[in-house]
């Protein structure tokens, strides 16, 4: 199988290359610069220079059996038009190219499309048909991912064969956001917990998501379907703190913060960021608090049944590994 991949140098993309190559696929991956080209070659992929939001890039893409679209802006402090151009228009170009080639599109979306208050519902209650909740205007990432899914559906109506995947928070080797930030604070000897810290987190290892991506690219049954990739294994915030401590080689204390107080502080931070940088993405601090409180509302029964999705790595091992890597990069 020939596969064209976007986002190949990111956290998830490098694991997707590994999984596809293990299955015998030949991967051509998009590279934005010289460093990206070198990294892709080192991973065994053939680089194609260009940008996901540039139509000329897609004009040069060679015919393939699958386009795996991973590239996306996630937490960049940029205005809405930049998010729209990258996450929505980039997806439109990927979907159009896949339809033109007769290739399957595997679009990596996010559980953010369900709305940030999804963390307030019962554990494992959100399947793929769960109704979307409201989104804040300043939640650029979730808005762009929801619009990107609409773009894919429009192309499906024109004949595109597509699979949409919705992972939750992803971590693993190459992570620059989640575990590195926690590990940096943990080096001081403490981390906060919001509430008791005993409920499982909506967390997934990049290697496990990549296994789902590889299956979605080839399993016939997956065509035209949407899959959550969200509960490959369970780990609570308290257990995650312990695993980070093991990874960085020191005991990490926990400081309990009431959830209501954490949410109030998060709202103030978001408001302050909007004042300091009007028009820029302020992030979703309230969403981060709800996530770190624990309680995984998402279920992945369909992915397990249709794709045979099973965890390749457990959180206790994965968090230790990611924390060790994060500390090495800091040092």
């Amino acid at each position: 199988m020939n596969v064209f991949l976007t986002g190949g140098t990111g956290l998830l993309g490098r694991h997707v290359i590994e999984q596809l190559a293990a299955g015998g696929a030949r991967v051509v991956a998009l590279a934005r610069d010289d460093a990206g080209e070198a990294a892709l070659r080192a991973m065994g992929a053939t680089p194609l220079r260009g940008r996901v939001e540039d139509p000329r890039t897609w004009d040069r893409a060679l015919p393939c059996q699958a386009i795996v679209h991973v590239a996306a802006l996630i937490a960049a402090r940029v205005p809405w038009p930049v998010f729209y151009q990258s996450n929505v228009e980039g997806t439109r170009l990927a979907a159009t190219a896949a339809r033109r080639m007769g290739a399957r599109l595997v679009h990596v979306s996010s559980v953010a499309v369900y709305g940030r208050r999804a963390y307030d519902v019962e554990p494992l209650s959100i399947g793929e048909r769960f109704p979307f909740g409201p989104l804040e205007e300043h939640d650029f990432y979730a808005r762009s991912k929801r619009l990107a899914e609409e773009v894919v559906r429009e192309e499906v109506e024109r004949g595109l064969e597509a699979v949409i995947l919705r992972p939750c928070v992803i971590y693993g080797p190459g992570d620059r956001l989640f575990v590195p930030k926690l590990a940096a604070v943990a080096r001081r000897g403490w981390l906060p917990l919001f509430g008791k810290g005993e409920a499982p987190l909506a967390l997934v290892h990049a290697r496990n998501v990549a296994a789902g991506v590889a299956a979605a690219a080839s399993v016939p049954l997956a065509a035209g379907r949407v899959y959550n990739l969200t509960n490959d294994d369970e780990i609570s915030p308290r257990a995650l703190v312990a695993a980070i401590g093991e990874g960085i080689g020191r005991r990490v204390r926990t400081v309990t913060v009431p959830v209501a107080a954490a949410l109030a502080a998060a709202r103030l931070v978001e408001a302050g960021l909007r004042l300091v940088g009007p028009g820029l993405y302020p992030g979703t601090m309230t969403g981060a608090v709800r996530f770190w409180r624990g309680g995984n509302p998402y279920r992945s029964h369909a992915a397990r049944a249709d794709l045979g999705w099973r965890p390749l790595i457990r959180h206790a091992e994965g968090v230790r590994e990611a924390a060790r890597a994060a500390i090495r990069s800091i040092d």
Side-chain angles (χ1 to χ4, degrees), residues 113-169:
V113 299
Y114 293 112
R116 300 296 181 175
R117 290 189 176 274
Y119 287 107
D120 295 335
V121 306
E122 291 296 316
L124 304 181
S125 63
I126 297 181
E128 291 79 2
R129 295 185 180 181
F130 193 87
F132 290 169
L135 293 174
E136 299 286 345
E137 184 179 354
H138 63 264
D139 193 350
F140 295 171
Y141 174 70
R143 285 174 56 200
S144 67
K145 296 304 272 187
R146 193 178 284 186
L147 287 172
E149 286 198 11
E150 291 180 11
V151 163
V152 173
R153 292 190 187 94
E154 289 171 3
E155 290 299 322
V156 167
E157 292 178 358
R158 298 185 179 103
L160 171 68
E161 181 179 289
V163 184
I164 296 175
L165 303 178
R166 294 173 181 159
C168 55
V169 174

Side-chain angles (χ1 to χ4, degrees), residues 4-5 27 113 128 138 156 158 188 241 251-252 272 285:
F4 183 70
L5 171 70
V27 181
V113 299
E128 291 79 2
H138 63 264
V156 167
R158 298 185 179 103
R188 302 170 188 168
V241 170
R251 182 175 177 272
V252 182
M285 301 301 172

Side-chain angles (χ1 to χ4, degrees), residues 226-248:
V226 179
Y227 297 100
N228 293 339
L229 298 179
T230 56
N231 52 339
D232 55 332
D233 189 23
E234 288 192 355
I235 190 168
S236 68
R238 192 174 296 278
L240 189 141
V241 170
I244 287 177
E246 293 170 7
I248 66 176

Side-chain angles (χ1 to χ4, degrees), residues 50-232:
R51 294 176 177 269
V52 68
E53 66 273 21
D54 185 351
R56 295 170 297 182
T57 299
W58 295 98
D59 290 340
R60 294 186 288 110
L62 297 176
C64 56
Q65 283 73 53
I67 291 178
V68 175
H69 182 45
V70 175
L73 281 181
I74 299 175
R77 191 133 163 83
V78 297
W80 167 247
V82 179
F83 267 88
Y84 186 89
Q85 192 66 26
S86 178
N87 292 0
V88 183
E89 288 303 316
T91 301
R92 189 186 307 279
L93 291 169
T96 301
R99 178 170 58 82
R100 184 180 68 242
M101 295 177 187
R104 173 179 290 189
L105 175 72
V106 178
H107 171 59
V108 179
S109 183
S110 166
V111 295
V113 299
Y114 293 112
R116 300 296 181 175
R117 290 189 176 274
Y119 287 107
D120 295 335
V121 306
E122 291 296 316
L124 304 181
S125 63
I126 297 181
E128 291 79 2
R129 295 185 180 181
F130 193 87
F132 290 169
L135 293 174
E136 299 286 345
E137 184 179 354
H138 63 264
D139 193 350
F140 295 171
Y141 174 70
R143 285 174 56 200
S144 67
K145 296 304 272 187
R146 193 178 284 186
L147 287 172
E149 286 198 11
E150 291 180 11
V151 163
V152 173
R153 292 190 187 94
E154 289 171 3
E155 290 299 322
V156 167
E157 292 178 358
R158 298 185 179 103
L160 171 68
E161 181 179 289
V163 184
I164 296 175
L165 303 178
R166 294 173 181 159
C168 55
V169 174
I170 303 174
Y171 77 100
D175 181 9
R176 294 190 294 269
L177 295 174
F178 179 62
V179 173
K181 290 183 177 181
L182 290 177
V185 176
R187 293 183 80 183
R188 302 170 188 168
W190 69 279
L191 277 171
L193 291 180
F194 302 147
K196 295 180 180 180
E198 299 293 350
L201 289 162
L203 189 66
V204 64
H205 195 280
R207 200 169 300 158
N208 295 341
V209 177
V213 170
S218 59
V219 172
L221 181 62
R225 302 199 179 188
V226 179
Y227 297 100
N228 293 339
L229 298 179
T230 56
N231 52 339
D232 55 332

